[in-house]
Amino acid sequence: MIRLVVFALLVLALGYGFSWLADRPGDLSLIWEGQLYQTRLIVAATLIIALIALVMVAWWLVRVIWTSPHSVTRYFRARKRDRGYQALSTGLIAAGAGNALMARKMAARSRGLIRADQEPLIALLEAQAALIEGRHDEARAKFEAMVEDPETRELGLRGLYLEARRLGANEAARQYAEKAADNAPYLPWAAQATLEYRSQSGRWDDAIRLLEQQKAARVIDKAEADRLRAVLLTARADEKLENDPSGARDDATHALKLSADFEPAAIIAAKALFREDKLRKAASILEQAWKTSPHPEIGATYVRARSGDSLADRLKRAEKLETMRPNNIESLLIVAQAALDIRDFAKARSKAEAAARIEPREAAFLLLADIEEAETGDQGRIRHWLAQALKAPRDPAWVADGYVSDKWLPLSPVTGKLDAFVWKAPFGQLEGPVEEGSVISIDSALKSLPPVRDVRPESEAGDHRIIELERAATIARAARPAAEPPAAPTPAKPAPKEPATAGKQTEAPEPRPFFGGLPDDPGVRNPSAEPEPKTRLRLF
C-alpha cells in the first residue's frame, strides 16, 4: 500500500514537472569539443529522465543474472519446506484424530523434508504417534529429549508429568511439576499441580509463595488468588492452633480479610483468641461471621466460648445469636439445644418445632427425639420422631468429590484438589426436583404423634446409668414367680407323646437367675400354650 502511494506521488510529480516546462518554453544550448548542441528544454528533460530509467533497468538485469543461482536454490528450498510443513500439519491433525498410521507416515515425511533441529514439532508429532500406538517408552524418550532443548523444555516436562501420573508415580510427577513451575510459574498446569502437592505435604509457606508468583504472573485473577490464599492461611493456622495461638490468630485474621465469608477462618481465629483469653474480640469475630452466614459450628463455638459458663449463660448466648438472625433454622436449633441442656423442655420443643416448620430437616427431628427422651422417655414418641428424621432431607455437611467430612479440610482426600469442600447437603438431595408429598410437614408429624403412655419419673442426676438400673429392676420384678396359685388348666389338645419314662419322676424345673425370664424375642409360640390376651399392644 505504501509503495503504491509513493508510485502515485512520483507520477504526479513528473506530470506536474513536464506541464510546468511545457508552459515555459525555451532552448538548451550545449557546446562540447567545439560543437554546438541546441535543443528545446522539454526534449532535454525527457532525454535525461529516459536515460535514468534505462540505467535502472540495466542494473536490475545485471543483479538478477548475478543472483540467479541463489534465487533458484532458495525457491526449491522454500518449496521443499512448504511440503514439509504441509505434511507436519497433516500429521498433527491425524494425531489429534487418533490416526496413528497417518501420523507416523507424516512424521517420517516431515523429517525427510524439514531438518528436525529447525522444527521441534516433528519430535512432538513422533511422541504423539508413539502414545497413540501404546509405545510409551519411546514417547518418554522423546519427551526427555525435548527437556534438553530450551525451546521445548516446557513441552517435554508436561509430557513426562502426564506419563508419571498415568503410571501412578506421584513422586516423579511432583518433581516434574515443581521443575516446570520453578522455570515457568506462568504455566497453569504446573503451578496448580505444584500448589496441590505442596499443600498435601503441609508446605504451606512454599505454597503461599508459589501462589504469589502466579498472581504476579497473572495466571489467576485476583479474586481466585485471594480465596486460595485464605484457604492456605487457614490451613496453616489450624496447624499452629495448639502450639502457637498467636501465629494461628494472625493467619486466621488475615484469611478473614481476604475472604470475609470463610467460616473455618472465623472459627480458628476465635479459638486462638479464646486461648489468649481475648473473649470479647473472639466473640466479635464470631458475631460478625454469624451475621454474614449462620453456621452451626460458629454457633457452637460462640455458645461454648467459656468452659466455666453455666447452662443458663449458654442459653443466653444462644438467644443472643437468635436476635442477630431471627427466623433462621440454625439460630432456632442452637437455642433449642441450649434449652434442652438446661432441661427447659417447653422452650426447647417450641424452638425445635419452629425450626422444623422453617425447614423440615434431619437435625430438627433428631433434636425433637432427644427432647422426647429427656422429658417423657416414651419409646413410641421417640421412634415417631426418629422415623420422621429418616424421611427428612439430610443436614448440610462439608462435602468434596462425594466425600462427607465432619469438619472442614483444605484439600479433598479423593482428588487432592485445593479448596474443594463446600457446605451443602450430601449427595445433592436438595438439588433435584421435589416430588409431591415427599416434604415432611411438622404439623402432620405432630398430629400423628402418639400420646404419652408412661411418664417416667425424672431422675435427679439424669444419668443413663440410673435409667438402665431402673429398667433392670423392672425386669427382675417381672421375672419373680407369682404368689397366687396357678389357675386350672383349660382343656387343650393332647400333647404329643413323649418317650416312655416308667419308674421316673418328673424332674424339678431349673432355677431361674436373678435377671432371668423370657427373652425379648421368645421365638416361635407353642400352639399348645395359652393364647395371648387380645388387649396386649403389639409393636410389630
Side-chain angles (χ1 to χ4, degrees):
M1 181 66 183
I2 297 177
R3 292 183 179 181
L4 182 61
V5 173
V6 172
F7 178 76
L9 292 176
L10 182 60
V11 171
L12 290 175
L14 290 175
Y16 177 76
F18 278 108
S19 64
W20 185 80
L21 290 176
D23 293 339
R24 293 168 177 80
D27 295 332
L28 179 64
S29 300
L30 176 63
I31 299 175
W32 188 43
E33 293 183 355
Q35 296 292 331
L36 177 62
Y37 298 94
Q38 187 175 5
T39 182
R40 298 182 62 182
L41 184 59
I42 186 67
V43 176
T46 303
L47 292 176
I48 292 173
I49 293 174
L51 180 62
I52 293 173
L54 183 62
V55 170
M56 292 178 65
V57 170
W59 173 254
W60 176 76
L61 289 175
V62 171
R63 187 169 175 267
V64 168
I65 295 172
W66 181 263
T67 60
S68 58
H70 178 69
S71 299
V72 172
T73 304
R74 186 174 57 183
Y75 168 76
F76 286 107
R77 186 185 301 164
R79 188 165 176 263
K80 183 180 179 181
R81 185 178 64 249
D82 293 342
R83 290 169 55 199
Y85 277 109
Q86 182 63 36
L88 182 60
S89 176
T90 304
L92 290 174
I93 294 173
N99 190 350
L101 181 62
M102 178 63 70
R104 177 69 63 181
K105 180 179 178 181
M106 292 296 105
R109 180 178 298 180
S110 301
R111 185 173 286 276
L113 295 174
I114 309 174
R115 293 175 55 184
D117 57 347
Q118 294 180 349
E119 186 48 66
L121 285 178
I122 297 176
L124 174 62
L125 178 58
E126 292 175 348
Q128 293 295 327
L131 287 175
I132 296 173
E133 294 175 349
R135 292 183 283 108
H136 297 280
D137 294 336
E138 180 181 348
R140 283 195 297 273
K142 294 291 183 182
F143 288 130
E144 290 174 356
M146 293 181 191
V147 173
E148 302 300 327
D149 187 1
E151 189 176 3
T152 59
R153 180 176 292 125
E154 299 170 5
L155 180 60
L157 288 173
R158 176 167 173 78
L160 293 174
Y161 169 76
L162 294 177
E163 281 297 295
R165 288 288 300 272
R166 183 187 63 82
L167 296 175
N170 295 326
E171 182 62 24
R174 181 188 64 80
Q175 293 180 4
Y176 291 135
E178 287 192 349
K179 186 176 181 181
D182 292 338
N183 294 332
Y186 50 81
L187 293 176
W189 68 270
Q192 183 66 25
T194 305
L195 191 65
E196 292 177 358
Y197 284 131
R198 292 180 179 178
S199 301
Q200 290 172 7
S201 59
R203 298 163 55 190
W204 307 115
D205 296 335
D206 295 338
I208 293 173
R209 191 180 307 110
L210 178 61
L211 185 63
E212 291 298 323
Q213 294 177 357
Q214 287 184 273
K215 184 179 178 181
R218 297 183 179 180
V219 178
I220 56 178
D221 55 2
K222 185 178 182 299
E224 184 180 358
D226 291 343
R227 173 70 180 187
L228 293 178
R229 184 178 175 83
V231 172
L232 295 174
L233 288 172
T234 305
R236 189 171 68 178
D238 193 15
E239 285 190 356
K240 293 180 180 179
L241 185 60
E242 295 294 334
N243 301 323
D244 186 11
S246 60
R249 177 204 61 204
D250 295 338
D251 288 342
T253 51
H254 190 190
L256 279 177
K257 292 178 181 178
L258 295 174
S259 181
D261 58 345
F262 195 40
E263 297 89 356
I267 295 171
I268 294 176
K271 289 181 178 179
L273 289 170
F274 288 150
R275 292 176 182 270
E276 296 179 341
D277 294 332
K278 298 179 180 179
L279 301 179
R280 183 173 298 178
K281 188 174 182 180
S284 176
I285 291 176
L286 291 176
E287 290 173 0
Q288 187 64 33
W290 183 264
K291 292 177 183 177
T292 304
S293 176
H295 196 277
E297 294 182 15
I298 296 177
T301 305
Y302 184 82
V303 170
R304 301 178 181 272
R306 293 179 293 190
S307 59
D309 285 349
S310 63
L311 297 178
D313 293 335
R314 292 180 179 177
L315 178 58
K316 291 179 181 178
R317 298 176 73 87
E319 290 174 345
K320 185 177 180 181
L321 291 178
E322 186 185 8
T323 58
M324 296 178 188
R325 290 299 297 266
N327 298 326
N328 182 269
I329 181 172
E330 301 298 343
S331 302
L332 294 170
L333 290 177
I334 288 290
V335 176
Q337 184 62 52
L340 175 60
D341 294 339
I342 204 174
R343 305 186 71 79
D344 187 353
F345 300 120
K347 178 176 287 189
R349 189 182 296 274
S350 64
K351 296 297 181 181
E353 290 177 359
R357 284 189 177 89
I358 293 176
E359 185 177 348
R361 215 170 62 190
E362 181 184 14
F365 293 110
L366 289 178
L367 186 55
L368 285 169
D370 293 339
I371 296 170
E372 203 68 56
E373 182 179 9
E375 183 180 9
T376 64
D378 191 331
Q379 296 297 321
R381 296 168 70 93
I382 295 173
R383 290 172 183 169
H384 173 78
W385 292 122
L386 292 178
Q388 302 301 320
L390 287 175
K391 294 184 291 183
R394 294 191 63 181
D395 297 321
W398 291 112
V399 183
D401 301 321
Y403 178 83
V404 182
S405 175
D406 55 349
K407 65 176 184 178
W408 175 83
L409 297 174
L411 296 166
S412 170
V414 179
T415 60
K417 183 182 178 181
L418 188 64
D419 191 24
F421 277 92
V422 180
W423 182 256
K424 66 175 184 178
F427 313 115
Q429 288 190 356
L430 302 181
E431 297 176 1
V434 179
E435 298 179 359
E436 184 178 358
S438 61
V439 178
I440 302 172
S441 173
I442 182 63
D443 296 328
S444 61
L446 289 173
K447 290 179 182 178
S448 59
L449 181 66
V452 179
R453 292 190 307 166
D454 183 19
V455 179
R456 185 185 60 207
E458 183 179 349
S459 176
E460 296 180 358
D463 197 344
H464 289 286
R465 292 174 296 178
I466 299 177
I467 298 173
E468 295 298 330
L469 290 176
E470 292 176 357
R471 292 179 180 174
T474 305
I475 296 174
R477 286 195 298 269
R480 293 174 184 171
E484 298 179 0
T490 57
K493 296 181 180 180
K497 295 183 179 181
E498 297 178 356
T501 56
K504 294 185 181 180
Q505 297 180 356
T506 305
E507 297 181 358
E510 297 181 358
R512 297 182 178 178
F514 179 73
F515 291 105
L518 294 176
D520 293 339
D521 186 6
V524 181
R525 184 180 293 105
N526 189 356
S528 62
E530 183 179 357
E532 185 179 1
K534 296 183 179 180
T535 58
R536 181 179 178 181
L537 295 177
R538 299 182 63 185
L539 297 178
F540 303 100

